[in-house]
Structures are given as structure tokens and as C-alpha cells.
Amino acid sequence: MFKSLPCLPEDPTFKLFNQFKADANPKKVNLGIGLYFDREGMPKVFDTVKKAVSELDVNNFNYLPIGGDREFLRLAGEFVFGEVFDPGRLAMQATCGGTQACRCFADLSLEVLHEREIQIAEPTWVNYHALFGAMKISRFNHCGEDGMVNAEAYYNAARNAPIGSAFLIQGGLAHNPTGVNLSLEQMEELIRILEERRMILFMDMAYLGFGEGIEQDRKYVQLCYEKLERFAVAISFSKNASMYEQRCGALFVKTVNGPCTESQLQKSIRETISTPPGFGQEVMANILKNYRQEWEAEVEAAREDIDWRRNQLVDRLPAEFMRVRETRGMFGLLPLSREQALRLREEFSIYILDNGRVNFAGVKACDLDYIAEGVRSVK
Ligand code: LMR
């Protein structure tokens, strides 16, 4: 039994993280996996999260309903949609991180879409290919040759996609991995085409607050919600509350039939994890209810800190890296080849993804010169 079972390749992001951990070089630098560390390189736990955890009810770890905690969903909805939040127009589902919100949307799409196809811009988060594996995935280029976002490619993909199929937007204003994003104006044009073709837009909003700031990032969601008949958004508190391992996420689907849409989402949850994990929901519900202003200030400070580190690094690099300054969110692509990324790893113990992706939230202030020296040396 299992003798001839092939060993599958490790996930590239986690493989790199494991290689980093095993590296004995005291100068090693982890710019691979998307985790938020502070400038000193310490894992970040927000003060509001610590406070909310200390107030957790430890006398009841019974199951939550399959849909999740309604209070958490209402508060999360208010955060994501702001003043346009209308629970009467949304199906809401708590999920095991943003990842499961994606799977849940894929399951719903298989059920409701006549055309089981989704448009995904490349490069993108590697996991989508598996999460949407039961659908037909059509790919197009997120960036033009100049490394900036290619809005025309988005419009063309929407124009050429089957009527009534799905369209993915990654990261809102904080794209993973490129860090370059469609502007609100470009989104308006895309929305016009999507609406014309009766397509459903799925936005994976994994980094709300880390792009251009909470208010601006939220406008992206609001615009889609207001202008599109068919819209769904996945959110995650992994990054903006730095609670990765707690897997706290949610899926919101615009609908005129909330109860039946939610029953479909619940089917997907029941068949995969039975009920969503409660720890993160309880913590976030407490924060959003009692410490929201304080937490949002922490998110803003985190975003400014990431931008500071990005700019400090770019300041130390040659002119050809200047466009990296335009990137937003945790990630950006350094214009390096796979070989150069490998040399960085082998010669300097600086870990970035093979495609040149850097996690700016992993840059320690004391490593700025060392990273710049490594990059200059392999280029
Ligand atoms: C990343 O892209 O580094 C993170 O989102 C981790 C992951 O799950 O891939």
C-alpha cells in the first residue's frame, strides 16, 4: 500500500520558508512568505489583538453555526463595505481564512454559473489554480512589458470571456505578487464591461488596509458592490490583524436571495470543514465592536511602516529598480531573473520567491544595506 505513491512537490512559498528556517547563516534574510514582521524582524501581534485575546470567553468552545457567528459577520461586513453595508442584500459566510472563501466561491460558481469559467490575471497567488481547479481557468497578463498594470488586458479578457462567467480580482489595491493595481478609474471601466456581459466579479481582498489605506481600499469594494449586480468578496484577517494561523476569513456574496445563497455556501463549508473555526471570529468581533478605532490605527501604522521599508530599500538600489517604489501592499516584484533570485539565496542567504517577489513586511531596518548589496551584486 502506498509504495508507488508519488511524492508531490512542496508548495513553493512554504518550501522557501522551510529552507530559510534551515539556513544556518546568521545573516539570513526572509523576504519570501507573506508574513508581517516588524522592523526588528519580530512577528507582529497587534495590541488590540492581544487585548481581545485576553478577553476571550474560555468557558464555551462549542460549535458555531455552519454559517459562522452572525455578530462577527455583521461587524466584518460593516468594516468591509462601510456605509453601503446592507445585510439584506448579502449572503454572508465565515470561512477558514481567505483561502476557504475562495473555495466556497468556486463551489457556488459550479452550482450557479452556466459558464464554469474564471478569468485570472497572471502572475498571481499560486493557490488559485487548485482552488478553482474544477472550473475552466483562462489566463491573461496582469502587467505590461513596463511592469505596470495592463488595464487593456483586463478589459480584453472581460470582453472575450463567456457571458455569465466569473472574473477574479486579486488583492484589491495590494496585488500579490506584483504590488501594482488597477486604479479606481480603471476598475470603473472594467465594471462596465463585466456588467454588460453579466459576469460575476470575485474580489479576493486579502489585504484590506495595506494597499492605499483602509478608506481607499474600501472604496474599491464599495464601487464594485454598488455598480455590479453580480459581485462577491473574500476577506481575511490574516494580514491586517496579523492572525495568520487563526484562519479568520469571510465571504460576502451580493444576492437578492440571501437565505438560499447562504444555504449553498453552508453546504460547501459542511462538506469541507463542517463548521468554521471560532477563535479568530470571536477575537475580531470583539475588536470590531470595542476597539475598532484603535485597531484601524494599528493597521494604518503597519501600512506606513511597510511603505517606509519599501522606500528605504529602493533608495539603496540602482535606477532600474525605481518602479518598485510604485508598488503597494506587502509585495512587489524586483526585476530579477530566476537565476539571480537563486544566487541571492545561495550567495547571501536572502530569500525571495523565484519570480523576484519580495515581502516588504519582512525587511528588517538593520538588513537594508545588506539586501541592497546582495541585489546589486547579483544583477
Ligand atoms: C503568500 O503569498 O506568501 C501568502 O499568502 C502565503 C500563502 O498562503 O501562500
Side-chain angles (χ1 to χ4, degrees), residues 11 13-14 32-35 99 125-126 176 207 239 331 357:
D11 175 272
T13 314
F14 279 83
I33 192 164
L35 288 168
T99 304
W125 186 46
V126 284
N176 174 8
Y207 315 93
K239 289 92 185 169
F331 306 119
R357 191 192 82 173

Side-chain angles (χ1 to χ4, degrees), residues 207-259:
Y207 315 93
L208 208 162
F210 279 2
E212 302 274 0
I214 293 172
E215 221 176 293
Q216 198 65 9
D217 291 3
R218 186 186 290 128
K219 278 192 192 147
Y220 225 68
V221 180
Q222 290 176 327
L223 182 72
C224 297
Y225 173 77
E226 289 188 306
K227 301 238 161 132
L228 283 166
E229 197 51 43
R230 301 159 199 83
F231 174 56
V233 57
I235 59 154
S236 162
F237 291 105
S238 295
K239 289 92 185 169
N240 57 15
S242 199
M243 289 208 303
Y244 299 88
E245 69 174 24
Q246 301 309 336
R247 314 309 298 139
C248 181
L251 176 65
F252 297 88
V253 183
K254 191 171 175 184
T255 177
V256 289
N257 186 355

Side-chain angles (χ1 to χ4, degrees), residues 34 122 150 201 212 308 358 362 364:
E122 296 276 359
N150 187 352
L201 177 65
E212 302 274 0
W308 181 84
V358 164
K364 283 194 249 174

Side-chain angles (χ1 to χ4, degrees), residues 117-134:
E117 181 168 336
I118 186 161
Q119 307 292 316
I120 300 184
E122 296 276 359
T124 195
W125 186 46
V126 284
N127 219 6
Y128 290 134
H129 303 115
L131 290 167
F132 291 100

Side-chain angles (χ1 to χ4, degrees), residues 316-335:
R316 288 164 169 77
L317 295 174
E320 64 196 293
F321 289 86
M322 284 309 128
R323 70 169 193 233
V324 177
R325 210 186 285 286
E326 307 305 316
T327 61
R328 290 293 173 271
M330 293 169 84
F331 306 119
L333 291 179
L334 296 185

